[in-house]
Amino acid sequence: MSQTELSSHLLGAASRWQAFSLDTRRPQLDKAAANTKSHNAQSQAARKGLAESTKAFKKCLKGTESIISNKDDEKQIYNKLSSSSRSLVKSYQEEIDNLTKRCKASDGMVLDLYKGLYELVDPAPLLMNSVEHLDSLAGQVKHLLKGMEEMQNELENKNTEHKMVLKEKDNELARVQKLLDGANVKATKLQSDARDAVASQ
């Protein structure tokens, strides 16, 4: 993956995470968690109340079987049993309705979260590629720096060698110049001697 592609993917993932805005969803999730705790407490209390109502209803049923002695008692017990049954059924229905509402709310929250997360690119492969790419670049930089250091040392060594060779050449040139100056002096003397010899003849 090229550096440009990696940058493009990372920018795309970052923009999708920003659009998802997990931080702004956190208060909703916190509220849902608090409501869930509250609802759990309410459910526990409602279940306890239903258990007590059911126990009282069963006790009422057992009591009616042994008490019925005449028609008036039967009608009174029937009315009491009917009222108790309606109250118990209503309590069960209310608790079922509450559980259904909480279930819908929880399902809605999970579905919203799921939809938001579903659209996001999984950042793990991109991050792993980024890490590998950065490691590779770091290795290349280290290798290049080492190569530059070696080249710098080699350049300094060559520079020192060239200075030594140049100094030797300067010394040799000075010797040659000295010889040339001496030869010029001798040539001038020979020419002068030759003129004097030609003039004296």
Side-chain angles (χ1 to χ4, degrees):
M1 182 179 283
S2 74
Q3 188 171 358
T4 305
E5 290 174 326
L6 179 62
S7 294
S8 174
H9 285 300
L10 287 173
L11 286 173
S15 68
R16 285 189 287 277
W17 274 105
Q18 285 175 339
F20 179 67
S21 188
L22 183 60
D23 288 337
T24 59
R25 292 179 189 237
R26 288 177 204 255
Q28 294 171 333
L29 294 173
D30 291 343
K31 184 179 177 183
N35 286 342
T36 300
K37 287 180 183 178
S38 171
H39 293 161
N40 284 340
Q42 289 172 359
S43 288
Q44 291 292 337
R47 272 187 247 149
K48 187 175 180 182
L50 285 173
E52 289 173 7
S53 295
T54 304
K55 194 175 189 181
F57 182 69
K58 286 180 181 178
K59 190 175 183 182
C60 182
L61 282 177
K62 282 186 181 179
T64 55
E65 292 172 354
S66 60
I67 298 177
I68 297 177
S69 58
N70 64 31
K71 284 279 188 192
D72 289 335
D73 285 342
E74 190 176 315
K75 190 169 188 176
Q76 185 181 14
I77 290 172
Y78 174 76
N79 287 338
K80 186 177 178 183
L81 187 59
S82 177
S83 173
S84 183
S85 297
R86 273 183 261 149
S87 175
L88 183 61
V89 169
K90 185 177 179 185
S91 295
Y92 273 102
Q93 188 60 48
E94 285 174 358
E95 184 57 22
I96 289 169
D97 290 344
N98 289 336
L99 289 172
T100 302
K101 286 177 189 175
R102 286 197 301 268
C103 184
K104 282 183 182 179
S106 296
D107 288 349
M109 189 66 132
V110 168
L111 187 58
D112 284 346
L113 187 61
Y114 171 76
K115 284 179 183 176
L117 289 172
Y118 184 79
E119 297 296 322
L120 293 176
V121 173
D122 182 4
L126 289 174
L127 294 174
M128 290 305 295
N129 274 343
S130 298
V131 169
E132 289 170 9
H133 188 67
L134 291 175
D135 286 346
S136 172
L137 289 176
Q140 289 175 5
V141 168
K142 187 176 179 180
H143 179 72
L144 289 173
L145 288 173
K146 185 178 178 184
M148 285 175 56
E149 187 178 328
E150 289 172 359
M151 287 174 64
Q152 183 68 29
N153 289 338
E154 188 177 330
L155 187 61
E156 287 175 5
N157 290 339
K158 291 287 183 190
N159 194 20
T160 303
E161 286 176 21
H162 286 296
K163 284 181 181 178
M164 289 173 59
V165 167
L166 188 59
K167 189 173 183 179
E168 287 175 12
K169 294 291 181 190
D170 283 345
N171 289 341
E172 190 177 327
L173 186 61
R175 272 195 319 269
V176 168
Q177 186 65 45
K178 194 174 181 182
L179 288 173
L180 187 58
D181 289 344
N184 281 339
V185 169
K186 284 183 183 179
T188 304
K189 187 174 180 202
L190 281 176
Q191 281 178 349
S192 175
D193 286 346
R195 270 189 231 130
D196 288 343
V198 170
S200 63
Q201 284 183 354

